[in-house]
Amino acid sequence: GNIGITAFGADLVFHGGPYDGSPVPLSHTYLHHWTVEQKYHHNAGFCGYSEPAEVTLGYLFGVGSESRHTSPALPAPYALMIDDTDKDTWFVDLHAIDLRNTTNPLGCRECLCTELHPNGHPRNLSQVVGNKDDYIGGLSCCEGGDRCRYEVDGPAMGYKLRYNITWLEGEDLKTAK
């Protein structure tokens, strides 16, 4: 039947090894953000409304490291109503930054262009943002797979996004809006 989601919380945890299931310290891997999104049914997102959701970053739930251990929740009687006949696709957008052995952890967390050296070579900023001499860092300098400068490479690590969903169903759902 239908359900009404009232809370959705998540955290990055180690997968495997001696710390399996333990939260990953932000000094180890900075979880910039996680969001739960739907492909077709979504809000206006971070960048304004347009189709498809992948372009707008429209999200249903999500937080950044500043809100760690804080589950986004809707106060009673509100809930995100989910129709079991809806075949929309849900997905998670996760931005984690590996800080192990980095030479400048703060610069790495802020995605400073000078901290990212793909293939061992400094990034050519003009290829990324054009002629913006005042652009020192941000999303355009922090693409998937990039790695900040580091002193010694660390061992491969496994991670999982552990999540907890709270919902209403049946008779309890009749009071939700």
Side-chain angles (χ1 to χ4, degrees), residues 48-105:
Y49 186 82
S50 67
E51 293 291 338
E54 292 91 344
V55 175
T56 64
L57 299 175
Y59 64 98
L60 300 172
F61 296 97
V63 296
S65 287
E66 296 81 7
S67 301
R68 192 171 196 191
H69 305 296
T70 303
S71 296
L74 300 171
Y78 299 99
L80 175 64
M81 305 305 282
I82 305 298
D83 180 350
D84 66 353
T85 63
D86 188 356
K87 302 299 183 207
D88 200 353
T89 303
W90 288 49
F91 56 96
V92 172
D93 176 46
L94 181 72
H95 183 183
I97 302 172
D98 186 354
L99 296 176
R100 295 175 298 151
N101 302 317
T102 57
T103 58
N104 181 356

Side-chain angles (χ1 to χ4, degrees), residues 4 7 19 22 25 27 32 72 77 86 102 105 109 113 120 137 139-140 144 153 166-167 177:
Y19 303 108
S22 298
S27 59
H32 185 272
D86 188 356
T102 57
R109 283 193 311 267
C113 299
L139 189 58
S140 293
D153 202 6
T166 305
W167 69 89
K177 294 182 180 184

Side-chain angles (χ1 to χ4, degrees), residues 78-169:
Y78 299 99
L80 175 64
M81 305 305 282
I82 305 298
D83 180 350
D84 66 353
T85 63
D86 188 356
K87 302 299 183 207
D88 200 353
T89 303
W90 288 49
F91 56 96
V92 172
D93 176 46
L94 181 72
H95 183 183
I97 302 172
D98 186 354
L99 296 176
R100 295 175 298 151
N101 302 317
T102 57
T103 58
N104 181 356
L106 178 60
C108 188
R109 283 193 311 267
E110 293 179 351
C111 294
L112 296 180
C113 299
T114 57
E115 294 304 314
L116 298 161
H117 292 237
N119 303 319
H121 302 290
R123 177 186 295 278
N124 184 344
L125 184 59
S126 63
Q127 291 176 347
V128 179
V129 295
N131 294 323
K132 295 183 178 178
D133 293 332
D134 59 342
Y135 189 86
I136 61 170
L139 189 58
S140 293
C141 289
C142 207
E143 299 174 318
D146 283 352
R147 176 88 192 266
C148 289
R149 291 184 295 152
Y150 57 92
E151 296 170 357
V152 179
D153 202 6
M157 301 295 294
Y159 305 101
K160 295 189 293 187
L161 187 69
R162 178 174 54 200
Y163 59 92
N164 184 31
I165 303 172
T166 305
W167 69 89
L168 301 171
E169 60 184 329

